[in-house]
Amino acid sequence: MFRSIRHRLALFTYSWHAIGPASMLRNSVRWSADAEARAVDSGFDARYGTDTNADLTPGEADILIDRHHAATMYLPTMDQDLAAMLAALPWPESLRRDATFIDLGSGKARVVLLAAMQRFRQIVGVELSPRLHLAAVRNVERVRDAGALVSPVRLVHGDATAFDAPPGPLVTYLYHPFREPIAALVMDRLVASLEASPRPAAILYCHPALQPGFHPSVFGQRDVFQLAVEGGRQTRGFLLGWSVWTNDAWLDRTTIPVPLVSGAGEA
Ligand SMILES: C[S@@+](CC[C@H](N)C(=O)[O-])C[C@H]1O[C@@H](n2cnc3c(N)ncnc32)[C@H](O)[C@@H]1O
């Protein structure tokens, strides 16, 4: 009871800063509408004995106070939304299997687990909150013990702005984890890594339409990524938007074919 009042207060303060009082009033119905959809989605935890369903503000997740306004609250991605984004990724199966799937802001590892049930080179989850990271470690152990993972998983407790992308093709997933200035820093680092070592990369980004999504220029930095597909999900007034970005066109421009060296037999 006391926890519930404290939680409601934390949510109220968080929403006040995240979307503002006017939008809170307009959208209270929409929040509850998605709560219904989320209740249906809690089947994941029932199936695997995990604990991924929660809504925790940055304060409740023990994120340091100076980062509260830069981080968003924890909510797991719904299975159907990740499935829709992966289905929209215009990559051949062979390229996908060779890619590292990275969830920046991985929370309790719902997406990490769903991705690790498919074939990728490896799955990496990066999470700032110590509390969520610990929960993620436990969740991964449970599902691994149940034999349900087909790809290796690495969980990193740290800040996405300091994460170095591994070599090889990359699929980077973001469920609106932080505010736009942090997203710009993260993208700058990713783009610098691709410029230093050009390779196929994709971004899967989704956000509740209640909060303004990142401006396209965040992903379009230095013309490396282009929008490939957009989509969304609507349930009784709640709207979730998503977009898939790829770097194929940039890669074609950047990867210059090696010129043929004249052979000794040529005149
Ligand atoms: C909306 S939740 C998404 C959780 C998970 N990706 C999923 O879709 O199920 C966003 C997560 O990003 C984390 N986060 C916020 N800022 C971060 C940062 N700078 N570095 C790493 N994680 C961060 C939050 O703690 C939260 O767990």
Side-chain angles (χ1 to χ4, degrees), residues 28 35 67 76 86 96 102 142 172 174 189 191 234 236:
S28 58
R67 300 306 299 271
L86 281 174
R96 215 165 93 160
I102 305 162
R142 271 204 192 121
T172 301
L174 301 153
R189 202 172 175 109
V191 163
Q234 180 128 36
R236 277 222 304 146

Side-chain angles (χ1 to χ4, degrees), residues 154-195:
R154 181 160 70 94
L155 294 173
V156 179
H157 174 220
D159 194 324
T161 57
F163 178 74
D164 283 320
L170 304 170
V171 176
T172 301
Y173 180 76
L174 301 153
Y175 180 21
H176 197 62
F178 21 69
R179 307 273 166 243
E180 197 164 284
I182 303 288
L185 288 177
V186 167
M187 281 305 301
D188 188 52
R189 202 172 175 109
L190 175 60
V191 163
S193 164
L194 294 171
E195 284 172 338

Side-chain angles (χ1 to χ4, degrees), residues 14 38 52 56-58 61 63 67-68 70-78 82 103-112 114 125-130 132-133 156-163 173-179 182-183 186 206 208 211:
Y14 171 81
R38 288 189 173 277
T52 62
L56 292 172
T57 64
I63 288 179
R67 300 306 299 271
H68 280 195
T72 63
M73 66 180 287
Y74 172 71
L75 271 179
T77 294
M78 290 177 60
L82 180 69
D103 183 4
L104 294 176
S106 45
K108 294 184 168 199
R110 165 76 74 91
V111 162
V112 164
L114 288 169
V126 183
E127 174 55 50
L128 186 61
S129 149
L132 295 174
H133 171 73
V156 179
H157 174 220
D159 194 324
T161 57
F163 178 74
Y173 180 76
L174 301 153
Y175 180 21
H176 197 62
F178 21 69
R179 307 273 166 243
I182 303 288
V186 167
C206 74
Q211 305 186 27

Side-chain angles (χ1 to χ4, degrees), residues 133-148:
H133 171 73
L134 266 181
V137 170
R138 283 194 297 266
N139 285 331
V140 169
E141 272 166 12
R142 271 204 192 121
V143 185
R144 188 182 280 137
D145 289 350

